[in-house]
Amino acid sequence: MALLNFKKRETVENGPVNPTVEAFLKDYSIEVMPRTAEKVEDFRALLPAGTRVYIAHIEGTPIEDMVATAKRLAAEGYPVMPHFPARIIKDAKTLENWIAMYQGEAGVEQALLLAGGVAEPHGEFHCSMQMMETGLFDKAGFKRLHVAGHPEGNKDIDPKGGDANVMDALRWKQKFSETTDAQMALATQFCFEAKPIIAWANGLKAAGIDLPIHIGIAGPAKLQTLIKFAIACGVGPSLKVLQKRAMDVSKLLLPYEPNDVVTELAAHKAANPDFNITNVHFFPLGGIKTNATWAINNGGASTRPVNPT
């Protein structure tokens, strides 16, 4: 039996919005995969002009499908940021070929570099830093490179707990940002609680890591869907927010929406303009249309799509 049974709320509401939330959601980005992008007839009916669209590269997805998705999105007017997962890229020659394909077919100028969720590397790369060291992104003139951030740690990088290895990697990437021509930022895993996010971001700044942070936020979805993804993606302490919600009968039949975490982060940003979280990055776990509709309802003018229906 399904834990929840409800219809998705995808109606666009035109009521007043919280001005701090509106400011915080300006220039948000969103993530798609080739198979989910295929289900969207026209992204211009969902997303504001200029929205950065990440394309997640899951192991087994042909590079041709990734490039075709990038080409389609670019043609609709959206800057594309494909994932480059180190562990599924065999070698530098393969990386150079991928870059050439993305640029030749879709004019791609930005990338998210990450290790990738694969236990055994397919070739010579096992982390994003090795790809950065090749110099191929600078050689190709990439204007923006994002790397992964982990507000709740990463057991793949620090299997014994803590954040020593994660912090070493971030210090390396901070130094790299001072030598590359590309703009750099951290794009994080999704979290559900604002206070640990704020503490983590402030801790990075105190440690001398001042890369802008694009905070990962899970879009509206069924509760069991979010719990499944949170466990699979290694979300840590903030998972208790979902577990607590699952025990609240009054909320059990309602879809999760990120209002609380976004509102609290937005208020903190408004009160602390130099706070190093600069953008929101959505993981549309309940569907792209559902996520876009939530953004439109909560983000005011800056989140209105190119072609509103």
Side-chain angles (χ1 to χ4, degrees):
M1 175 188 256
L3 180 62
L4 300 176
N5 183 18
F6 57 82
K7 293 182 179 180
K8 295 179 181 178
R9 190 181 74 178
E10 296 181 345
T11 303
V12 174
E13 302 168 358
N14 294 313
V17 299
N18 181 328
T20 60
V21 171
E22 179 176 4
F24 192 60
L25 291 179
K26 189 176 187 300
D27 297 327
Y28 77 82
S29 58
I30 197 164
E31 188 159 303
V32 302
M33 293 182 288
R35 62 180 176 82
T36 55
E38 287 177 355
K39 300 175 183 178
V40 178
E41 183 176 344
D42 186 354
F43 279 91
R44 290 166 294 194
L46 300 176
L47 304 179
T51 302
R52 178 179 296 111
V53 182
Y54 291 58
I55 308 177
H57 196 151
I58 307 302
E59 184 181 21
T61 304
I63 183 61
E64 291 79 9
D65 291 358
M66 293 288 297
V67 172
T69 303
K71 183 177 180 179
R72 177 259 173 109
L73 283 160
E76 292 185 13
Y78 295 102
V80 181
M81 178 173 275
H83 288 197
F84 282 78
R87 294 177 186 172
I88 68 171
I89 298 174
K90 184 178 178 181
D91 50 31
K93 184 177 180 180
T94 302
L95 175 59
E96 188 170 26
N97 184 50
W98 283 24
I99 291 172
M101 291 174 69
Y102 276 123
Q103 290 199 317
E105 293 288 328
V108 170
E109 298 179 322
Q110 46 190 333
L112 172 64
L113 312 182
L114 67 171
V118 178
E120 292 295 326
H122 292 191
E124 64 185 46
F125 296 132
H126 64 80
C127 69
S128 62
M129 292 179 287
Q130 291 172 305
M131 295 191 294
M132 295 158 77
E133 284 179 320
T134 66
L136 290 170
F137 292 99
D138 279 324
K139 180 182 176 181
F142 269 55
K143 295 180 179 178
R144 180 173 284 274
L145 296 175
H146 287 187
V147 292
H150 307 282
E152 298 182 344
N154 185 309
K155 290 185 177 179
D156 182 38
I157 302 173
D158 284 289
K160 295 182 180 180
D163 64 359
N165 294 334
V166 165
M167 290 302 294
D168 283 345
L170 287 178
R171 280 187 280 268
W172 187 97
K173 292 166 186 175
Q174 176 72 38
K175 290 181 180 178
F176 182 85
S177 73
E178 297 163 5
T179 63
T180 178
D181 291 332
Q183 290 181 283
M184 289 187 63
L186 298 178
T188 82
Q189 184 54 274
F190 56 86
C191 306
F192 300 100
E193 190 173 18
K195 285 183 176 61
I197 293 172
I198 293 168
W200 171 77
N202 289 339
L204 290 190
K205 198 167 188 178
I209 297 165
D210 62 3
L211 295 173
I213 298 169
H214 295 221
I215 191 66
I217 297 293
K222 296 179 182 180
L223 188 58
Q224 76 267 33
T225 298
L226 289 180
I227 292 173
K228 178 185 73 173
F229 276 107
I231 293 171
C233 296
V235 171
S238 70
L239 179 59
K240 68 178 182 290
V241 173
L242 300 184
Q243 294 168 331
K244 182 178 180 181
R245 185 184 180 93
M247 297 172 65
D248 186 339
V249 176
S250 68
K251 295 180 179 179
L252 191 58
L253 298 179
L254 299 174
Y256 166 87
E257 294 184 336
N259 300 60
D260 291 347
V261 62
V262 168
T263 300
E264 191 169 344
L265 288 173
H268 186 82
K269 178 71 175 181
N272 303 272
D274 61 344
F275 184 47
N276 49 354
I277 291 181
T278 60
N279 296 75
V280 169
H281 174 60
F282 281 115
F283 292 84
L285 303 181
I288 299 168
K289 184 177 181 181
T290 301
N291 200 146
T293 301
W294 183 90
I296 294 165
N297 289 338
N298 290 275
S302 69
T303 60
R304 287 176 190 150
V306 176
N307 297 326
T309 54

